[in-house]
Amino acid sequence: MEYDLPLDLEVLLMSSAGEGNFSQTEGCTDTRAQQSVPTGSARRRRCSSSGSDKDAKQRRLDAFVKYQHLLINSVRQRYGRRRAAEAQEQTQPLPFNQTFVNVVIHQSKAPRLKERTEKPREDMAGAPEAEECADTAVKVSDLLCEAPSHTTKVIFLFGKPGIGKTRLMHRICQKWAEGVLPQFLFTFLFEFRQLNLLKGKLTLQELLFDMFLQPEDSPDAVFQALLENAQQTLIIFDGLDEFAVNMDVSSSSKRGPAPTSPVSISQLFADLCHGNLLPGCTVLVTSRPKRLPDFLLHTVGVLAEIGGFDHEKVEEYVSHYFCQHSFRERAIAHVKNNTKLLSMCFIPALCNIVCICLEYLFLKQQMNVELPQTMTQFYIKMFLIFLNKQRGDCAGDEETQLNCNKKAILGLFDLALRGLEEKKLVFYVSDIPEDVKEFASLHGLLTVFEVKTSGTCPEVGYAFVHLSLQEFFAALCLMVSRRVDKNYLKKKFFLKSKWTLRNETKTEFMESFHIFLSGLSSRQCRTFLMLLAEQDEAWVQEKQDVILQSLRKLAATHLSGPKVLELCHCTFETQDLKVAQHIGSLLNFKYEFKNFRLTTLDMSALVFVINSGQDLICLDFAGCLVDTDCLEVLAGCKNVEHLSFRSRRCGDDFAAALSKGLQGMGNLKKLELTGGTITAEGMTNLVQAASQCPHLEEINLQGNRIQDPEVKRVMDLFSRMEKLKKVDLSNNHLSLNAVLSLAKEGIVCQNVTELCARVDTMIIYFSGTSGKAQRSLDLKLDENKEHIIPARHVNLCLQDHRLFSLHAKMIVAILQSCPCLSEVDLSGNRLGDEGCSC
């Protein structure tokens, strides 16, 4: 029975095993989870020996069962449906308080990490090569399947900011409490941002009990039961990128600490991953993309990237968000019909912000809805909406709203920057001025929770509702604070070391920080900054110019592919066409991307920079995973002269999606899709679309699976392409019939000058607009006879090694059909005397 919850998390996990999602197993109820333990207890009772220790074992089993029920209830209260329902009942929606719809997880072959530790990487060492990823869906239970006995399983999930990593971890806990993951008797979730607060050493028992949930009685007996059932224990560590402590603990793999030995939290984490503690458990770790600690490179068993929404899921999310509004269909149409907006909505957190802004504008009954163009502008809009929506605030325009809360707002900005600089993501009451705390809590910008530290009473902790929001406020602090001069701002934005070296930076919490600073340097943000800073336009513009000048200088440095994309993101945020044109001219020869995944937002930023320039460029994707949604954005890239995709993930669906956008690339001269899985169908679609590109000169489809192309159809299309000079179909395992058909149709095609077939080579040359034959045919017209159409000459090479005497008559027919043949090469075949006599 399928559990019908369309907007609860249905995680799609990308690997090569099959397909499915959470909903396929959601017919289970709490009873299932609760019954799993008594069944195991009864089994152990039958196996327990009689004697004086029987009562002690029974007490231990009772404590074991009691703690599991306590843990289930605690997890259900923290992450279950009741908490979600309470959040939805709030009169004011919190930013980032969204459900997650069908998030995609691209799984990698983690063992390959060990092979690459010594290789220089273009991207961060922890991210998988794109060619290792797959694109089929599996069940969540396959990700969290039982590990072999006494073998610890480490799962590492990384994802970009706002992609929903924490929400996914909460969802897994919720589903466990509901009995959907019966292979685990115990589940614990720890956030690294809270583990930062632990200064001393602690034992595994103290971590599990003091930091998560303390047993009501017999803690030693419960812990012993945990050790005995390690294979059925799931421990989740969320936000490794937010951990401020040095993780260089590779020596831990050489030691076997006792469970009662107190160690640092980083050592404890490493020992769990190595299997030195609680051997056989499952350890699930999440992080933003970053370089993995060395010890994790050798322990991760499953490495995967959490993706975002697709078109269908964006529509599903928006539909749910506006389910109680009459303008639901209007909101859906607004998102679907705006390419830039749709690209942002593929990131769940941004999709939530877009919906908040749309709802506010529609409720104000604005007929012409104009939404922001960049992520930074959306954050500003969201912030202003939350100021305006809260009842009791001063009514009025934007300036009035900011002035009413100016002191608290600036204090919140200062708190955000101070926290990032001190690597502090959790704040105590003493860290926050009272007016800031009241303002931020009232508007849902800070979340409050219980902070546990070993051996002390729980305290109240505060954190920004999302790390990216803290980064946004920190960037605002630099732009509006009078204490920040140009030199200090330049120092904070000097990212050359961050973007050109592999080592970790000192500002590792600031992944989106430079994006927001770039966005705040745009002209569209100037009025907002003037109101906050209470300064004139010249003062604000001077700061903005510091950021823009830094971006210009960065474009002249040596940048890897991922860093070129980061620079494009920063440039897009500025919405400054002159800056984009300057940066685009400097990046003219740097659009080569290797072995990483590109998102629609990446492609939007890239197209913005390329289109802003005046030069025609080569865009080369080697081993990159480019989703079909990205190709729709790429279709608007008018300045591409040479487009190349080299990936075995490119098949017929990819070719069909790319074909839809080729017509918009009016300057395209060379198209390459090599090393993929394109078949005859995909080739036909591509050639059909390419025939609409007036300047196309070369098509390269090497290394695909085009065994039997639609010869007559594609040759007819080739004949219409006036500037076509070369088509390469080598290494496609072409059938002999396909080779002979290409020869037959090719030599009668009026613009074909040469057809060369040698074993796995198949290249067709065309005259192009100039009328000059290629390669072996070299026609030179007399200057006084340029008006005379030259005689056509064709070269035919069939060194196929598969031609026998039985093919002789067919070859003769081919030769007789073309009187303009000037050269024929049939060497290397097996025609024999009989074949030659024909």
Side-chain angles (χ1 to χ4, degrees), residues 212-411:
F212 195 79
L213 182 65
Q214 189 73 240
E216 292 181 345
D217 52 49
S218 307
D220 293 336
V222 173
F223 183 67
Q224 183 61 37
L226 272 169
L227 295 177
E228 295 172 359
N229 292 272
Q231 294 81 14
Q232 295 173 288
T233 301
L234 171 64
I235 303 180
I236 301 172
F237 291 94
D238 183 36
L240 178 61
D241 57 291
E242 299 178 3
F243 196 38
V245 180
N246 181 17
M247 293 296 292
D248 185 15
V249 288
S250 57
S251 60
S252 64
S253 60
K254 302 177 183 178
R255 51 191 291 275
T260 56
S261 302
V263 294
S264 65
I265 187 62
S266 57
Q267 189 71 60
L268 197 57
F269 172 63
D271 286 334
L272 281 168
C273 292
H274 279 299
N276 296 331
L277 291 174
L278 214 59
C281 71
T282 298
V283 180
L284 177 56
V285 188
T286 72
S287 175
R288 289 183 176 186
K290 61 172 290 180
R291 187 176 185 272
L292 285 177
D294 290 340
F295 76 87
L296 271 182
L297 291 172
H298 300 276
T299 59
V300 170
V302 176
L303 181 68
E305 178 180 6
I306 302 178
F309 292 157
D310 56 16
H311 283 267
E312 179 184 347
K313 300 312 168 187
V314 169
E315 182 174 347
E316 183 180 351
Y317 183 89
V318 176
S319 177
H320 174 79
Y321 187 96
F322 292 98
C323 63
Q324 297 181 353
H325 292 295
S326 60
F327 46 76
R328 180 176 65 175
E329 295 302 322
R330 182 184 172 197
I332 294 173
H334 195 89
V335 172
K336 290 174 63 177
N337 296 331
N338 188 318
T339 303
K340 291 182 179 179
L341 203 60
L342 187 61
S343 297
M344 289 188 181
C345 286
F346 288 131
I347 303 296
L350 289 179
C351 189
N352 176 242
I353 294 175
V354 168
C355 288
I356 290 173
C357 295
L358 273 176
E359 180 185 35
Y360 176 75
L361 295 174
F362 285 154
L363 287 175
K364 290 183 67 176
Q365 297 181 343
Q366 294 188 6
M367 297 304 296
N368 297 321
V369 175
E370 292 186 10
L371 286 172
Q373 296 294 308
T374 68
M375 181 176 72
T376 305
Q377 292 173 27
F378 263 109
Y379 272 67
I380 292 174
K381 189 68 175 179
M382 178 191 68
F383 179 59
L384 293 173
I385 287 173
F386 275 76
L387 287 183
N388 195 52
K389 287 185 69 173
Q390 182 61 42
R391 295 179 180 179
D393 278 2
C394 305
D397 57 13
E398 180 178 305
E399 183 175 1
T400 304
Q401 291 298 319
L402 292 174
N403 288 333
C404 283
N405 304 283
K406 181 69 64 67
K407 182 182 177 182
I409 290 173
L410 296 179

Side-chain angles (χ1 to χ4, degrees), residues 662-711:
L662 283 180
Q663 190 172 358
M665 300 181 185
N667 292 305
L668 188 65
K669 291 184 178 180
K670 184 176 181 179
L671 175 65
E672 292 186 284
L673 280 89
T674 60
T677 58
I678 297 172
T679 68
E681 179 185 356
M683 175 187 174
T684 302
N685 287 334
L686 278 172
V687 176
Q688 174 76 46
S691 65
Q692 304 299 314
C693 298
H695 300 289
L696 191 63
E697 297 179 357
E698 183 175 339
I699 300 174
N700 185 352
L701 297 175
Q702 285 189 49
N704 285 283
R705 299 178 184 177
I706 310 171
Q707 297 179 354
D708 292 290
E710 300 178 53
V711 176

Side-chain angles (χ1 to χ4, degrees), residues 344 350 372-382 472 475-476 512-522 525 528 573-574:
M344 289 188 181
L350 289 179
Q373 296 294 308
T374 68
M375 181 176 72
T376 305
Q377 292 173 27
F378 263 109
Y379 272 67
I380 292 174
K381 189 68 175 179
M382 178 191 68
F472 170 65
L476 273 170
S512 301
F513 185 68
H514 57 288
I515 303 288
F516 288 126
L517 276 176
S518 302
L520 292 172
S521 69
S522 70
C525 296
F528 176 71
E573 288 291 313
T574 68

Side-chain angles (χ1 to χ4, degrees), residues 129-159:
E129 292 185 5
E131 286 289 346
E132 297 174 5
C133 301
D135 290 328
T136 52
V138 298
K139 299 177 182 178
V140 167
S141 56
D142 289 340
L143 181 73
L144 298 171
C145 62
E146 295 183 37
S149 180
H150 304 298
T151 301
T152 296
K153 180 178 182 179
V154 180
I155 304 167
F156 187 85
L157 298 180
F158 66 95

Side-chain angles (χ1 to χ4, degrees), residues 700-837:
N700 185 352
L701 297 175
Q702 285 189 49
N704 285 283
R705 299 178 184 177
I706 310 171
Q707 297 179 354
D708 292 290
E710 300 178 53
V711 176
K712 287 189 176 182
R713 175 63 176 152
V714 296
M715 291 306 300
D716 178 60
L717 291 168
F718 289 151
S719 68
R720 305 177 189 179
M721 302 168 70
E722 295 182 355
K723 294 192 176 183
L724 187 64
K725 296 179 180 179
K726 180 180 178 182
V727 174
D728 193 338
L729 301 177
S730 303
N731 300 305
N732 271 286
H733 304 290
L734 293 171
S735 67
L736 182 57
N737 284 337
V739 172
L740 294 175
S741 295
L742 284 168
K744 177 182 177 181
E745 299 294 331
I747 61 174
V748 297
C749 182
Q750 290 302 306
N751 60 338
V752 170
T753 61
E754 182 175 345
L755 187 145
C756 179
R758 294 189 181 94
V759 191
D760 291 328
T761 299
M762 171 55 74
I763 303 176
I764 308 172
Y765 296 94
F766 300 81
S767 59
T769 303
S770 65
K772 295 181 180 179
Q774 303 298 307
R775 309 249 316 169
S776 60
L777 193 62
D778 186 20
L779 290 176
K780 294 184 179 179
L781 298 176
D782 186 272
E783 292 182 0
N784 297 323
K785 299 180 180 181
E786 289 183 352
H787 63 283
I788 299 176
I789 299 176
R792 181 170 176 251
H793 295 272
V794 180
N795 292 349
L796 177 62
C797 173
L798 291 176
Q799 295 177 341
D800 195 71
H801 298 286
R802 292 181 291 175
L803 296 177
F804 294 88
S805 58
L806 58 91
H807 301 112
K809 291 184 178 180
M810 187 181 300
I811 295 172
V812 170
I814 292 173
L815 298 179
Q816 290 176 340
S817 67
C818 184
C820 55
L821 280 170
S822 62
E823 183 178 320
V824 178
D825 185 351
L826 298 176
S827 61
N829 289 289
R830 301 177 185 180
L831 294 172
D833 294 340
E834 181 183 353
C836 292
S837 65

